[in-house]
């Protein structure tokens, strides 16, 4: 660092990612993995930690603001991919057998599937589209902040989004499971084949992981975007409210479209709520420290 240059301090978002990749490095040392997978995972964690350290120590006058706002999005993608390497061989589907009973009660006995399909393929196609939007909600959140000159608050938004996503991922090794569409093919499946469904199945066929589906990372991260916008831009409640409503639609989509069990969606919401609360306390603590 050049003489006289003042270093940045790590953002809360960067601390969250650092904690997650430290955790996965320890996981790689304890789980029964092949030698190559263990090395790959540890190297990925170390590489991510090195990048995060550099971001936190960058001279303040040359702070790469754009990179620091986009880096967490890539970090979540890497975190998801890495967790897929921890998938273990399965001998039974006891968890899935227990969880699907609730789905049969909700979708079949309570008539939720019938209600969704009352207008034909319109609502099922909409739900599939909402599920697809999960991958876009975080960038959309950043664009909303940028559009009103609020990128200075991006750390608050990103921290809740990232914490919601990686907290869900961190629980995967403890609940090994597969989605209902593969464990119970055809069971509770909707009557309508839409182009959005075909695209989602194609996408998950190539990019999905097999470590776990509990809690739902889609639901947790989507609610994280809504809660994050509410914290980062409280004066624009419409943003956070709309994104939270979108997250609720995604939660319904995950169950009806058979990407997750109902318990996954509920756990995803609870995970995001817990992560959001922890972030609120983290920012309050940081603000008190900076005032001292």
């Amino acid at each position: 660092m050049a003489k006289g240059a003042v270093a940045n301090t790590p953002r809360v978002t960067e601390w969250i990612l650092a904690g997650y990749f430290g955790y996965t490095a320890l996981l790689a040392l304890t789980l029964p993995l092949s030698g190559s997978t263990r090395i790959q995972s540890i190297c990925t964690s170390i590489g991510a930690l090195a990048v995060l350290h550099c971001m936190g120590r960058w001279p303040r006058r040359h702070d790469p603001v754009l990179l620091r706002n986009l880096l967490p999005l890539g970090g979540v993608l890497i975190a998801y991919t890495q967790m897929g390497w921890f998938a273990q061989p399965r001998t039974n589907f006891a968890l899935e057998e227990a969880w699907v009973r609730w789905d049969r009660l909700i979708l079949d006995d309570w008539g939720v599937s019938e209600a969704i399909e009352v207008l034909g393929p319109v609502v099922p196609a909409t739900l599939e589209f909402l599920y697809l939007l999960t991958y876009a909600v975080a960038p959309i959140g950043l664009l909303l902040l940028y559009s009103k000159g609020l990128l200075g608050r991006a750390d608050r938004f990103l921290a809740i989004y990232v914490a919601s996503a990686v907290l869900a991922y961190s629980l995967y090794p403890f609940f090994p499971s597969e989605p209902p569409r593969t464990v119970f093919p055809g069971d509770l499946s909707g009557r309508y084949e839409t182009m959005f469904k075909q695209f989602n199945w194609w996408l998950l066929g190539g990019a999905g992981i097999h470590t776990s589906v509990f809690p739902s990372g889609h639901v947790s991260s989507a609610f994280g975007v809504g809660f994050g916008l509410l914290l980062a831009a409280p004066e624009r409640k419409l943003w956070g409210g709309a994104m939270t409503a979108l997250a609720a639609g995604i939660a319904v989509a995950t169950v009806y479209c058979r990407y997750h069990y109902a318990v996954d969606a509920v756990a995803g919401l609870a995970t995001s709520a817990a992560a959001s609360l922890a972030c609120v306390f983290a920012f309050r603590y940081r603000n008190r420290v900076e005032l001292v």
Side-chain angles (χ1 to χ4, degrees):
M1 186 181 302
K3 184 177 180 180
V6 179
N8 268 307
T9 56
R11 293 180 172 187
V12 173
T13 306
E14 291 160 2
W15 279 116
I16 293 168
L17 283 170
Y20 176 81
F21 285 112
Y23 163 75
T24 55
L26 292 176
L27 263 183
L29 292 172
T30 57
L31 290 176
L33 304 173
S34 67
S36 59
T37 301
R38 194 185 310 278
I39 292 172
Q40 181 183 30
S41 182
I42 291 173
C43 289
T44 298
S45 294
I46 292 174
L49 289 169
V51 171
L52 291 166
H53 175 76
C54 291
M55 287 295 99
R57 298 299 299 169
W58 204 282
R60 187 172 299 169
R61 65 184 180 185
H62 299 305
D63 189 359
V65 177
L66 179 61
L67 179 59
R68 294 187 84 175
N69 288 331
L70 294 178
L71 182 70
L73 305 184
V76 168
L77 180 60
I78 293 171
Y80 176 79
T81 302
Q82 184 190 38
M83 189 53 65
W85 302 337
F86 296 149
Q88 300 295 308
R90 301 291 307 284
T91 58
N92 64 73
F93 296 99
L95 286 176
E96 294 90 335
E97 291 283 0
W99 293 340
V100 78
R101 295 171 189 169
W102 291 100
D103 292 10
R104 289 169 181 157
L105 175 67
I106 295 169
L107 295 175
D108 197 0
D109 297 350
W110 291 357
V112 172
S113 286
E114 185 177 355
I116 289 173
E117 296 171 353
V118 71
L119 297 177
V122 175
V123 178
T126 300
L127 290 175
E128 290 282 1
F129 178 69
L130 291 181
Y131 182 83
L132 184 61
L133 278 182
T134 309
Y135 309 108
V137 289
I140 289 172
L142 276 178
L143 285 174
L144 287 173
L145 293 176
Y146 174 77
S147 69
K148 297 301 179 181
L150 299 176
L151 270 185
R153 306 180 192 176
D155 189 31
R156 302 179 195 178
F157 164 70
L158 289 168
I160 290 182
Y161 162 67
V162 169
S164 297
V166 301
L167 180 57
Y169 302 161
S170 69
L171 296 173
Y172 283 0
F174 305 102
F175 300 95
S177 50
E178 291 283 349
R181 72 181 191 280
T182 60
V183 180
F184 307 100
D187 186 26
L188 301 176
S189 295
R191 289 184 291 170
Y192 299 100
E193 285 284 331
T194 68
M195 63 177 183
F196 296 120
K197 179 177 181 178
Q198 294 171 358
F199 183 77
N200 282 330
W201 279 53
W202 171 80
L203 185 64
L204 290 172
I209 64 174
H210 300 279
T211 307
S212 178
V213 293
F214 180 93
S216 169
H218 282 75
V219 173
S220 184
S221 59
F223 274 107
V225 171
F227 297 157
L229 284 174
L230 288 172
L231 177 65
E235 73 276 22
R236 296 188 175 274
K237 292 182 174 60
L238 180 61
W239 291 356
M243 282 298 188
T244 302
L246 175 61
I250 289 171
V252 174
T254 62
V255 181
Y256 168 75
C257 301
R258 310 312 294 140
Y259 300 117
H260 282 280
Y261 305 90
V263 293
D264 301 342
V266 173
L269 170 58
T271 299
S272 183
S276 301
L277 187 61
C279 287
V280 168
F281 283 114
F283 280 105
R284 287 181 179 177
Y285 173 77
R286 191 187 68 174
N287 290 339
R288 285 200 303 269
V289 170
E290 290 178 349
L291 289 174
V292 174

